[in-house]
Amino acid sequence: MGEKMISVFLVEDEFVVREGMKKNVDWVGSSIKFLGEAADGELAYPLIQKLKPDIVITDIKMPFMDGLDLSRLIRKELPKTKIVILSGYGDFDYAKQAISIGVTDYLLKPISSEKLLEAVRQVADVIREERKKEDNLRRFEDEMKENEDLARSKYLDEVISGQLSSADII
């Protein structure tokens, strides 16, 4: 079973910035799947619900629905999705709100393709680590259930074959 690729969705109202991030970042070379893009939160949200990306990169200031409102919706609907906020403002209030919502990273614009990719790679590593823990937990639960089933069937075999006395059974 191959490892599932980490997927990214980009929400950015400035076309030039969005195109730059889409084309200048080596997503494929970083084993990251670029799932899609939107110009604002209102357009992005239904797509994000449908595509369920692992990471959403969103600008904070956008018309119609800003990055914080979008982040709140994503948090509620897709709690495992990591959110990286891009902000052209060194506005501490935004950063504070973003942290309280539970965004994973907060990056200041302008940001180079290398810096963005580096941030996304770090988030991807966190996701891979979480997936590994979930897999281990699932495996452990399966083994526990298997052991329980084995013990139960061994006990039934002993009862049926008469190896256990009535006193043992009680």
Side-chain angles (χ1 to χ4, degrees):
M1 194 178 107
E3 190 192 31
K4 191 174 158 263
M5 230 184 195
I6 303 285
S7 60
V8 164
F9 191 94
L10 175 64
V11 192
E12 164 65 65
D13 63 323
E14 292 174 62
F15 179 77
V16 178
V17 176
R18 196 168 70 239
E19 283 297 289
M21 288 178 178
K22 193 169 83 178
K23 293 194 166 86
N24 300 333
V25 175
D26 182 16
W27 301 110
V28 178
S30 302
S31 301
I32 291 168
K33 185 178 182 186
F34 188 89
L35 270 192
E37 58 181 303
D40 67 69
E42 218 172 302
L43 294 168
Y45 188 56
L47 291 168
I48 290 167
Q49 283 178 297
K50 196 177 109 193
L51 299 169
K52 296 178 176 44
D54 297 306
I55 303 169
V56 171
I57 302 166
T58 179
D59 192 6
I60 206 158
K61 278 287 207 193
M62 296 179 292
F64 309 114
M65 186 195 290
D66 71 16
L68 290 175
D69 287 339
L70 177 63
S71 297
R72 284 187 193 97
L73 288 171
I74 293 169
R75 257 296 129 268
K76 226 176 10 213
E77 185 90 7
L78 302 164
K80 281 185 181 166
T81 296
K82 305 291 181 215
I83 301 164
V84 175
I85 283 198
L86 302 172
S87 172
Y89 308 82
D91 188 335
F92 187 64
D93 199 47
Y94 278 121
K96 264 194 333 207
Q97 282 188 64
I99 289 162
S100 75
I101 292 166
V103 304
T104 307
D105 209 344
Y106 188 92
L107 307 170
L108 284 178
K109 291 194 320 192
I111 186 166
S112 68
S113 301
E114 292 77 30
K115 275 238 165 61
L116 179 65
L117 188 57
E118 181 52 39
V120 169
R121 275 200 191 118
Q122 286 174 359
V123 177
D125 287 342
V126 170
I127 292 169
R128 287 189 188 101
E129 203 47 52
E130 284 175 2
R131 281 183 184 169
K132 210 184 297 167
K133 281 183 187 151
E134 280 174 15
D135 285 349
N136 289 342
L137 189 65
R138 211 170 296 120
R139 214 170 294 128
F140 176 72
E141 285 169 348
D142 290 348
E143 276 175 29
M144 290 292 287
K145 192 180 168 342
E146 246 170 65
N147 290 343
E148 206 177 281
D149 292 346
L150 277 172
R152 198 175 287 127
S153 80
K154 182 177 179 272
Y155 173 75
L156 280 174
D157 285 348
E158 289 173 352
V159 169
I160 292 165
S161 66
Q163 290 174 335
L164 291 178
S165 68
S166 306
D168 287 338
I169 294 170
I170 293 163

